[in-house]
Amino acid sequence: CKMFDPIFKQVGERYRDVANFVKADIDLFYHVAAALGITGTPTTVAFIDGRPVDVAPGFMTAPQFKSFVESVLSYAGCR
């Protein structure tokens, strides 16, 4: 989703020292999207040690995405 891209970049930059932020085109990585049950974009999946731990389907505002990231970092013991 083009509307989410600047939010993803902004929040990703803020947390770059503690997390990796990666975008994947589900048309190219359809097998990964299918394995994760992703049917639409944007969908944000958080991984810890290579395992998906949280999924947020749909558009998020910057405060919502920041909250999502903070929640995952807390769960991972990074905050």
Side-chain angles (χ1 to χ4, degrees):
C1 176
K2 291 181 183 186
M3 289 176 45
F4 185 61
D5 193 49
I7 294 168
F8 184 83
K9 289 178 182 177
Q10 175 190 23
V11 174
E13 181 66 25
R14 178 177 179 161
Y15 293 98
R16 71 178 179 185
D17 293 335
V18 293
N20 294 314
F21 291 78
V22 179
K23 289 173 42 176
D25 183 336
I26 66 168
D27 291 330
L28 296 175
F29 296 97
Y30 58 89
H31 55 287
V32 176
L36 293 170
I38 296 171
T39 58
T41 61
T43 298
T44 304
V45 182
F47 292 84
I48 298 175
D49 295 326
R51 293 183 315 268
V53 295
D54 203 355
V55 178
F59 176 81
M60 288 184 276
T61 64
Q64 289 170 323
F65 186 46
K66 181 179 176 250
S67 179
F68 175 82
V69 171
E70 287 282 342
S71 173
V72 172
L73 291 175
S74 178
Y75 178 79
C78 297
R79 289 273 187 241

